Amino acid sequence: MSTAQGLKRVYRKIYRIVDRVPEGTVVSYGQIAEMADVGPRQVGQALAALPPGGRCPWHRVINARGTVPIRSGNYKAHLDQEQRLGAEGVEFRNGKVALEVYRWQPEE
DNA sequence: CGTTTGACTGGCC
DNA sequence: TGGCCAGCCAAAC
């Protein structure tokens, strides 16, 4: 096995945190960024580089405004994400999530 | 090796 | 209430 194939070390760290997010809960990029000790944009890029096939609850990651950002040219993707969260118990309020209620708090 | 961009954030007007 | 500016770090070109 060769060493780390495509995934960078920083990305792995972020994936670890995202994988740690429980169901029916959401977390902001800045939160992960702080936990992973990286810039908030790196979190987005890490998830953007997230390979398919891997079971990473990336759909539980939203921005600090409680809304889902629109990725490059994919306006449908953000709609799909809201739908996934709603299926896990996260209710969307006018296209926004109550971060006060659903924000994941790593207190363990 | 310098420049550009990107799934962000927070503050200001 | 909502849009714009600047800061941020790393990958891609």
Side-chain angles (χ1 to χ4, degrees):
Chain A
M1 316 230 265
S2 334
T3 48
Q5 327 249 346
L7 302 181
K8 308 303 180 212
R9 197 166 100 210
V10 185
Y11 286 20
R12 279 259 185 91
K13 198 174 197 171
I14 295 171
Y15 299 151
R16 193 49 160 267
I17 299 171
V18 175
D19 186 54
R20 201 160 151 253
V21 177
E23 237 177 69
T25 317
V26 296
V27 52
S28 60
Y29 288 90
Q31 227 178 315
I32 298 176
E34 194 175 350
M35 288 188 284
D37 198 58
V38 297
R41 301 207 125 181
Q42 267 33 24
V43 179
Q45 291 203 342
L47 295 179
L50 188 61
R55 73 145 189 3
C56 287
W58 58 271
H59 52 268
R60 291 178 193 148
V61 184
I62 61 177
N63 61 18
R65 294 171 192 174
T67 57
V68 180
I70 303 174
R71 305 183 312 288
S72 300
N74 274 3
Y75 281 82
K76 290 168 59 179
H78 106 265
L79 295 175
D80 184 53
Q81 184 166 349
E82 294 182 19
Q83 195 172 336
R84 286 174 184 253
L85 291 174
E88 295 188 351
V90 180
E91 295 182 40
F92 268 77
R93 184 84 155 179
N94 200 3
K96 295 177 187 172
V97 182
L99 287 174
E100 299 179 320
V101 182
Y102 296 106
R103 182 179 280 194
W104 172 54
Q105 297 181 353
E107 49 175 309
E108 273 181 65

